[in-house]
Amino acid sequence: MTLAPWSIGVFTSIDAGLGVHLEVAKELGIPSIQLHAPHAAGRTPLAAEAFLKRLDAYQIELTCVFGGFEGESYADIPTVERTIGLVPAETRAARLVEMKEIADFARILGCDVVGLHLGVVPHDTKSKEYLDVVEVTRHLCDHAAKNEQAIHLETGQETADALLQFIGDTQRPNLFINFDPANMILYGTGEPIEALRKVGRYVRSVHCKDATWSDQPGKTWGAEVPLGKGQVDISLYLATLKEIGYTGPLTIEREIPQEPERQKEEIKHAADLLTHLRASLLPRA
Ligand code: MG
C-alpha cells in the first residue's frame, strides 16, 4: 500500500506510551499510524504477526515505531533531563540494547522508521557527556542501517541549531527528524515554524500537535491543547511543510489517555482540520 502525500495519521499504543488504540484509527478512517513500541513481553514475532493481521484487516499503514523506556517521566522539565532517552548515563547501555530490540521488532512489522526521544542532549559540544551521546546514537543508527531503517529524532528537547549541530556531529546517513511543533513550545526551545525551516532538510516524519507557551519557557511546561487551539498556527505549519517539500504522513498526536472519549473526539476534529487545510494547500491530493 502506498500512502498518498500528507495522509492523515495518528499516534497509537498497544500497552505502553500514551497513544490511542488501533481501533480508534479504524473507527475514524485514518489510513496511517505511528506505534509506540509495546513492552518487551509484547515484542515477539507472534505478537508482530497478530498486529500485522489487524493492520491488514483495517487497511492501515504503519509508518514509524517509537521507542520508549521504563523509568522515563515527563513530570517536569528537570525530570525529563534526568530520565528520558539515551542521555542518562546510568541506563544508557541497557537502553541501547532495548532500542536495538525495538528496531528489530519494527523490522518484523515491515517498518523502516524507528523514532525516539533521545533525551536532553548536553549543551557543551566538547564535553565527554555530549560525545558519549553522539557515540550511542551512532551505534543505534548503525544497527538500524543493518535493518535498512532510519532513526528519527523527536524534536523539542533541543533548539533547532543544537539539533543541526548534533546530527552533523553524529555523521550517520540514516539519522533524520520527526518534527513536533508543539514540543518546541512545550519545552520552550524555539518558535516552531522558524525551527522547521531550519531543520527542514532532515524532516522525514511529523507530529501534528498544538500547545501554548509557558510564562517561563524552558523552566516550566507549556500546555498541550487540541489541534488548532494553540500557538503553533497549524495553517502556517502545513504551508511550511509544503515549502520544505515534505510529503509524508501528518500524524496526529494527542496524549490524554485518561479521557478516551475526549481524546477520540479531539483526534476526529484534528483529522477534519488537517483534511480541510490539505485541500487548499495540496489541491490534487
Ligand atoms: Mg511528538
Side-chain angles (χ1 to χ4, degrees), residues 32 69 117 144 241:
S32 80
F69 309 102
H117 274 283
L241 286 174

Side-chain angles (χ1 to χ4, degrees), residues 154 180 183 207 209 253:
E154 172 86 340
D180 185 326
N183 281 355
H207 285 163
K209 191 169 92 181
E253 187 181 31

Side-chain angles (χ1 to χ4, degrees), residues 9-272:
V10 65
F11 194 86
T12 62
S13 288
I14 296 175
D15 61 8
L18 303 174
V20 294
H21 289 294
L22 186 60
E23 281 64 29
V24 174
K26 175 181 173 256
E27 269 179 54
L28 297 178
I30 291 176
S32 80
I33 58 158
Q34 293 187 351
L35 175 69
H36 190 111
H39 293 301
R43 293 197 299 261
T44 62
L46 260 184
E49 194 183 322
F51 192 71
L52 280 174
K53 274 200 184 127
R54 289 166 68 203
L55 285 177
D56 191 49
Y58 298 168
Q59 289 291 290
I60 291 173
E61 179 130 336
L62 173 64
T63 63
C64 175
V65 174
F66 254 83
F69 309 102
E70 289 291 329
E72 291 187 317
S73 167
Y74 291 89
D76 53 37
I77 291 175
T79 307
V80 166
E81 289 182 12
R82 224 177 42 247
T83 68
I84 297 296
L86 298 177
V87 170
E90 57 279 11
T91 48
R92 187 180 298 137
R95 285 180 175 181
L96 174 62
V97 170
E98 180 160 19
M99 218 34 234
K100 289 177 179 177
E101 288 168 6
I102 288 169
D104 294 346
F105 180 70
R107 186 182 58 172
I108 303 176
L109 289 172
C111 187
D112 60 5
V113 177
V114 178
L116 81 157
H117 274 283
L118 193 59
V120 180
V121 175
H123 294 163
D124 178 359
T125 58
K126 299 277 183 282
S127 67
K128 179 180 184 303
E129 290 75 20
Y130 178 84
L131 297 172
D132 284 348
V133 178
V134 167
E135 200 52 35
V136 74
T137 307
R138 286 177 176 161
H139 281 294
L140 178 60
C141 287
D142 292 346
H143 183 85
K146 283 186 222 151
N147 287 344
E148 299 183 344
Q149 292 166 323
I151 296 292
H152 290 193
L153 300 179
E154 172 86 340
T155 56
Q157 290 151 354
E158 277 67 50
T159 63
D161 289 327
L163 194 56
L164 285 175
Q165 164 103 33
F166 181 78
I167 291 173
D169 289 343
T170 304
Q171 296 184 313
R172 286 300 183 269
N174 60 337
L175 183 59
F176 296 104
I177 290 172
N178 182 84
F179 191 85
D180 185 326
N183 281 355
M184 306 301 297
I185 292 175
L186 291 167
Y187 286 90
T189 42
E191 282 290 346
I193 303 301
E194 189 190 332
L196 178 58
R197 288 200 177 104
K198 276 190 181 172
V199 303
R201 64 187 185 278
Y202 290 109
V203 172
R204 296 295 171 89
S205 58
V206 302
H207 285 163
C208 292
K209 191 169 92 181
D210 214 340
T212 54
W213 286 87
S214 156
D215 56 2
Q216 298 174 67
K219 293 201 165 54
T220 60
W221 285 127
E224 187 183 329
V225 297
L227 201 72
K229 300 279 166 62
Q231 294 174 301
V232 166
D233 189 341
I234 299 302
S235 176
L236 184 59
Y237 178 49
L238 292 201
T240 310
L241 286 174
K242 185 179 179 181
E243 188 182 297
I244 66 166
Y246 179 80
T247 57
L250 303 174
T251 303
I252 299 160
E253 187 181 31
R254 185 71 177 117
E255 302 194 322
I256 46 168
Q258 67 283 11
E259 296 175 81
E261 279 310 310
R262 200 181 117 207
Q263 188 179 32
K264 192 197 297 181
E265 188 61 23
E266 288 184 5
I267 289 167
K268 182 183 182 310
H269 279 292
D272 291 347

